[in-house]
Amino acid sequence: MTRKTTLIAILAAALAGLVIRLYQVGSMPPFLSNDEVSIAYDAYSLARTGRDEHHHPWPVSFESLGTFKAPLYGYLLAPLTLVLPNSDLTAKLPSLTAGVLTIIIIGLLAIEVTGKNEVGAFAAWILAVSPGHIHTSRMVSESNVAFFFLILGLYLFISGVNYSRRKKTKMLLSVIPLIASMYGYHTEWGLVPMLILLLTATYFGKKKIKSGLFFVGAGIVLALPLIFDYLDRLGTSARANSEMLWREGRIIKLIDSQKFLGAKLLVVIKVFLSNYLSYLNPDYLFFGGLRLLPGEHPYQIGLFLMPLIIALIAGFISLKKNLKKQHFYFFIGWLALSPVVPALTQGGYNLMRNLVSLAPLSIVTAVGLFELWQNRRRIAIGVIAFCGLFLLFDSIIYLHHYPIELAASYQGYEPVARYLKPMIDQGVIVKIDNRFGLSNEHVGVPYLYFAYYEKWDPAILQNRVVTKEGTVYKNFISATQIDWQKEKIVPGRIYVIPCANPPSPAVKSKLRLIQSFTDLSGRGSFEVWRAI
Amino acid sequence: MIFVRLSLIVLVVIAAYVRRLPKAKALILLGMVLTSPLFVYQFTSQIYYFWWFVIFLLWSAVLFSKTKATTIFAKVAALLITAFLILHNNGLVDSRLNLDRERTFLINNKFEDKIVKFQQQATYMPYRLRFKVFGTWIVAVNVVGRTFRFLGPDVLMNIIGVGFVALLVIGAINKGIRWELLTLFVGGGAAALARDPNTLTYFWLWPALIIISSEGMKRVGTRLAIILFLLNFAYILVP
């Protein structure tokens, strides 16, 4: 395959990836989640006031819902909110763009590490149709943006490994996107330093120690704001503190049950290894890694299309043969290090945390597909044909069935917010019950949705007042729940409630239903009542 | 119990002899088997001693046989008997091979109900096609997925130890191990049909595990083998 044909194939993969990621982007995921709308609102607030929701000026981490999110996504989205409307698509744009660009970069990176154009084309297509990557590209995903910068940094470095003067500059400049990815997501906080050390040890060595030291030193300097911010956040509920596996209750009990330090360490190592290997389980990669449906469900989708399991196995077997000798040890190290950070966190499988593993696994699968194409062409054609079938089938499941199945668990406040905007602008007091779901089993953050979709002045959130009735944002009251037995009905007030908490007979005579909303499955989700 | 444990030790010795492993590696392999959680903890009265003896003889024949016909016969017989024993141990079939549907994963968590629900939602295609597309083959896909879950490295690690798993992975790359891998997969697949697969299933897969890991032992250096053994040993120190 010539270089020109390969580039066309990679660009075609990117275009296909764009179409797949854009197609009905509003249907699945159907609405923004807590975290997504928080990022979107912080970006909106930042663009207008230079401060986040909690009034912190130009923060290095966004306090958000107490999780102190990595900042990169918010800063990328902020300028977009100045020119584009506050919509789901606007919020998703950075992730969508990063997702499409990653397809191109992974193709180029695969060519660099293998020296084979076909592998690059295959890698790009594998990522383009990967359900895991498609899903994260359709969300407001900090992980997806961080993933792009990580792959870009690796590509710049690897493509510069020729020791000519100009290309050495490329290698050294690669530290910028690599460190940028650390500002994108917490997984990269652990992975990127390890990769930087691995790159330094593999490619700089003793002869180029000055360059190596500059590379590492530049990384440390660029990461300093992040380091200081992390130290500042120690003791908070920031994810970097609270999500580590040794903070999980079950693990703490196991550790405490052991007398000796060695045994305690062994418990942590066992749990870590179990988590680590679970991320390499073919069931997770090809059959159910997306985990969008709860529990044991027949229609789970994997991170990669199922037929590619054959290519992955072939890829592992023929990896040494197909990688360039100079890149072999780095690639194995990269493959081995990718699931380390996700394995150190609690809570089981997590697509966002383990997104970084998609890159080396895509390249291994591409190598396998290339090997099959060269030596067992019929099997390769069969794999590709079945991939097409599975892509179609998974698309139907994802776009048609998942929204129906998951409808009740999504916070569908957008239509409610848009409906109530004129009334809120006129100063009508709106009180909202924060719960949602078929039996009010979920607790939402409706104030953020209203603030984002209605383009509230950021000062309203920054000047919120906590009262007995709920948190008050000017004329919007966000209540943990509305208990009709105790609620004092104020004439003229608007009540937004989940359908599972209808007004009791005692108060119904004082209220009039003015609008009801359904979720994507057609079930009632929210009702708007006005006090007479 | 002693008989069964002894027969496992004999199987390891046979595999090491046939693979022509150096004494040190053979001892390490034996040590890894003896320190795997499956050997240390998993022995109950549910083992069918007669059938275990048959399995043992068949796999020994596979290892020693020099004629193609004998080898093929022994391999096929071992695979079929292993699959039957696993199905029987999990309560999926009786002695007359009648399947007990209630014990399959289809009934677990209303698995079948969820398939029917999706069929009903798929109003964009005719009913017959819906049934065929969303019904039959999704079960096959799920069986394969559950098989990989059952045989995944994270699960095997807790059954046979992390060092043993590493040997298995290294040994599995060899082309000559295909039949043993097939036995693992078929056995795992048989167990995957069950609602709650029994860990005794892994017991019936011991011969295949030993043969594959002996192949893996051939490919690793002695130092690495010792490290893998120590990892395995450390694992049983902490339940």
Side-chain angles (χ1 to χ4, degrees):
Chain A
M1 210 180 199
T2 62
R3 183 84 180 179
K4 191 179 172 187
T5 321
T6 308
L7 288 173
I8 292 171
I10 290 173
L11 286 172
L15 187 62
L18 177 66
V19 170
I20 292 168
R21 283 151 178 77
L22 261 181
Y23 182 71
Q24 291 190 8
V25 69
S27 72
M28 185 63 198
F31 297 110
L32 301 183
S33 67
N34 275 4
D35 288 329
E36 290 175 285
V37 79
S38 176
I39 292 169
Y41 182 77
D42 275 331
Y44 164 78
S45 175
L46 200 70
R48 277 150 187 80
T49 65
R51 294 172 185 272
D52 69 353
E53 177 201 339
H54 297 278
H55 209 58
H56 303 306
W58 305 108
V60 176
S61 61
F62 288 108
E63 187 180 337
S64 180
L65 305 166
T67 49
F68 295 92
K69 292 183 173 43
L72 183 62
Y73 199 105
Y75 281 93
L76 287 174
L77 179 58
L80 295 178
T81 62
L82 290 172
V83 293
L84 296 171
N86 278 17
S87 65
D88 289 10
L89 183 59
T90 303
K92 292 175 185 181
L93 265 179
S95 180
L96 188 66
T97 312
V100 174
L101 292 175
T102 309
I103 295 169
I104 299 171
I105 304 296
I106 199 82
L108 299 174
L109 178 57
I111 296 172
E112 292 296 330
V113 294
T114 61
K116 295 174 174 69
N117 291 333
E118 294 87 344
V119 174
F122 281 139
W125 274 98
I126 286 166
L127 195 69
V129 300
S130 150
H133 194 248
I134 291 170
H135 182 60
T136 55
S137 300
R138 293 167 70 99
M139 296 171 65
V140 176
S141 171
E142 318 149 85
S143 177
N144 207 35
V145 168
F147 182 46
F148 162 70
F149 281 101
L150 173 72
I151 302 306
L152 177 66
L154 289 177
Y155 167 68
L156 285 175
F157 189 98
I158 299 291
S159 64
V161 175
N162 262 337
Y163 303 112
S164 69
R165 206 171 168 177
R166 185 173 61 90
K167 288 193 176 177
K168 197 166 100 175
T169 314
K170 224 170 153 187
M171 284 167 75
L172 296 173
L173 284 176
S174 69
V175 75
I176 297 172
L178 283 173
I179 299 300
S181 72
M182 289 178 70
Y183 286 87
Y185 196 63
H186 292 100
T187 297
E188 276 77 356
W189 285 22
L191 179 62
V192 169
M194 290 193 284
L195 285 178
I196 286 178
L197 290 174
L198 180 65
L199 289 166
T200 309
T202 311
Y203 297 105
F204 287 117
K206 283 180 190 172
K207 286 184 185 174
K208 294 177 189 340
I209 198 157
K210 274 187 192 171
S211 301
L213 284 171
F214 175 82
F215 187 63
V216 174
I220 293 172
V221 167
L222 289 171
L224 275 176
L226 211 55
I227 296 168
F228 288 137
D229 187 72
Y230 170 67
L231 292 171
D232 211 24
R233 306 276 170 228
L234 280 174
T236 64
S237 58
R239 283 216 175 108
N241 300 329
S242 59
E243 300 281 311
M244 304 316 287
L245 68 90
W246 47 81
R247 292 193 186 270
E248 190 182 340
R250 178 180 66 98
I251 310 298
I252 293 171
K253 277 185 190 164
L254 275 172
I255 293 171
D256 289 342
S257 68
Q258 302 302 321
K259 284 182 191 169
F260 305 106
L261 181 62
K264 289 179 193 280
L265 198 57
L266 207 55
V267 166
V268 176
I269 291 172
K270 272 182 104 166
V271 176
F272 163 73
L273 272 176
S274 180
N275 285 350
Y276 182 90
L277 290 174
S278 72
Y279 280 118
L280 297 174
N281 193 322
D283 174 53
Y284 164 74
L285 293 174
F286 297 97
F287 294 90
L290 215 51
R291 287 277 189 276
L292 291 178
L293 296 170
E296 290 264 345
H297 198 288
Y299 293 99
Q300 301 282 19
I301 299 174
L303 302 190
F304 294 99
L305 294 176
M306 203 209 80
L308 289 172
I309 190 171
I310 300 168
L312 182 72
I313 295 169
F316 273 118
I317 293 171
S318 59
L319 197 60
K320 193 165 187 181
K321 193 172 88 174
N322 285 291
L323 286 176
K324 276 186 183 172
K325 201 176 171 182
Q326 61 186 147
H327 299 312
F328 177 72
Y329 289 109
F330 163 70
F331 189 86
I332 296 297
W334 179 28
L335 186 63
L337 287 173
S338 290
V340 166
V341 174
L344 285 170
T345 61
Q346 51 175 290
Y349 294 137
N350 191 300
L351 170 61
M352 296 301 168
R353 290 174 195 163
N354 194 43
L355 193 65
V356 292
S357 294
L358 289 192
L361 288 172
S362 294
I363 295 176
V364 174
T365 311
V367 164
L369 202 52
F370 167 73
E371 193 65 21
L372 288 170
W373 186 264
Q374 296 287 99
N375 303 314
R376 298 259 194 274
R377 191 154 293 193
R378 279 187 198 173
I379 296 177
I381 290 170
V383 166
I384 293 168
F386 270 100
C387 278
L389 201 63
F390 269 83
L391 181 63
L392 176 67
F393 183 71
D394 287 350
S395 301
I396 293 171
I397 300 286
Y398 184 77
L399 291 172
H400 181 82
H401 294 272
Y402 275 16
I404 299 170
E405 287 299 303
L406 300 171
S409 61
Y410 276 96
Q411 299 184 63
Y413 293 116
E414 187 191 355
V416 184
R418 298 212 190 274
Y419 172 78
L420 285 174
K421 183 172 172 20
M423 291 182 222
I424 291 177
D425 287 346
Q426 284 168 9
V428 174
I429 295 174
V430 173
K431 185 168 180 179
I432 189 163
D433 184 329
N434 284 353
R435 300 170 301 168
F436 65 100
L438 293 173
S439 50
N440 297 328
E441 67 271 29
H442 304 295
V443 177
V445 286
Y447 71 94
L448 275 175
Y449 290 83
F450 277 74
Y452 178 67
Y453 293 118
E454 293 187 2
K455 286 191 164 188
W456 285 2
D457 182 347
I460 295 174
L461 264 73
Q462 289 158 11
N463 297 322
R464 73 190 80 184
V465 177
V466 178
T467 67
K468 281 183 188 171
E469 224 186 336
T471 309
V472 181
Y473 304 89
K474 206 174 167 187
N475 56 324
F476 184 91
I477 306 169
S478 177
T480 311
Q481 67 174 73
I482 294 176
D483 183 351
W484 296 114
Q485 309 290 343
K486 295 176 187 170
E487 183 68 22
K488 192 178 167 190
I489 306 295
V490 178
R493 192 179 268 196
I494 299 280
Y495 292 91
V496 181
I497 49 162
C499 286
N501 184 30
S504 61
V507 299
K508 220 170 183 177
S509 56
K510 298 178 191 173
L511 297 165
R512 182 167 61 91
L513 177 68
I514 56 172
Q515 187 65 276
S516 55
F517 297 88
T518 55
D519 63 26
L520 288 166
S521 66
R523 285 184 292 244
S525 57
F526 299 106
E527 286 177 347
V528 180
W529 295 76
R530 184 192 278 273
I532 304 166
Chain B
M1 296 297 172
I2 298 171
F3 156 71
V4 175
R5 281 188 161 110
L6 276 174
S7 63
L8 275 174
I9 293 169
V10 168
L11 202 56
V12 173
V13 170
I14 293 172
Y17 172 74
V18 170
R19 293 277 178 277
R20 295 188 190 170
L21 290 178
K23 275 185 195 165
K25 283 191 181 180
L27 279 171
I28 293 168
L29 180 64
L30 183 63
M32 289 184 73
V33 171
L34 295 179
T35 55
S36 68
L38 185 60
F39 187 93
V40 174
Y41 299 119
Q42 180 67 67
F43 276 98
T44 72
S45 58
Q46 286 181 341
I47 295 168
Y48 311 122
Y49 293 113
F50 171 73
W51 286 109
W52 169 251
F53 185 61
V54 170
I55 293 279
F56 172 79
L57 283 178
L58 286 170
W59 281 108
S60 303
V62 166
L63 285 167
F64 276 124
S65 167
K66 296 205 172 150
T67 59
K68 203 171 176 182
T70 318
T71 310
I72 291 172
F73 170 78
K75 280 180 175 177
V76 172
L79 185 143
L80 290 173
I81 293 172
T82 302
F84 167 73
L85 288 167
I86 289 169
L87 287 170
H88 196 274
N89 251 145
N90 283 286
L92 289 166
V93 298
D94 58 19
S95 311
R96 292 182 184 180
L97 293 178
N98 297 316
L99 177 71
D100 184 353
R101 248 180 138 261
E102 289 293 318
R103 286 182 173 258
T104 64
F105 71 94
L106 291 172
I107 311 301
N108 185 31
N109 285 331
K110 301 180 185 174
F111 201 87
E112 244 182 351
D113 294 345
K114 288 167 188 171
I115 296 175
V116 169
K117 198 178 170 189
F118 268 50
Q119 285 169 342
Q120 288 164 346
Q121 284 171 0
T123 51
Y124 44 83
M125 59 169 78
Y127 181 73
R128 276 190 186 176
L129 196 59
R130 261 187 267 163
F131 179 78
K132 283 180 182 164
V133 170
F134 284 107
T136 321
W137 74 275
I138 201 70
V139 175
V141 167
N142 274 270
V143 170
V144 176
R146 287 171 68 84
T147 304
F148 278 112
R149 197 186 312 167
F150 194 71
L151 294 174
D154 51 323
V155 175
L156 279 180
M157 185 190 75
N158 292 315
I159 302 291
I160 57 177
V162 67
F164 213 118
V165 170
L167 270 188
L168 265 185
V169 170
I170 296 165
I173 299 171
N174 181 19
K175 278 183 190 174
I177 285 299
R178 279 181 205 165
W179 193 264
E180 285 76 10
L181 284 172
L182 181 64
T183 306
L184 271 188
F185 201 78
V186 169
L193 290 171
R195 192 193 307 174
D196 297 307
N198 194 333
T199 50
L200 196 63
T201 299
Y202 295 102
F203 179 82
W204 299 111
L205 299 173
W206 256 132
L209 292 170
I210 288 169
I211 293 171
I212 297 170
S213 57
S214 67
E215 190 61 38
M217 188 61 84
K218 255 171 77 174
R219 291 163 178 271
V220 301
T222 313
R223 269 188 216 172
L224 180 58
I226 292 170
I227 291 168
L228 294 177
F229 164 70
L230 289 172
L231 274 173
N232 234 49
F233 182 66
Y235 242 68
I236 57 165
L237 293 178
V238 177

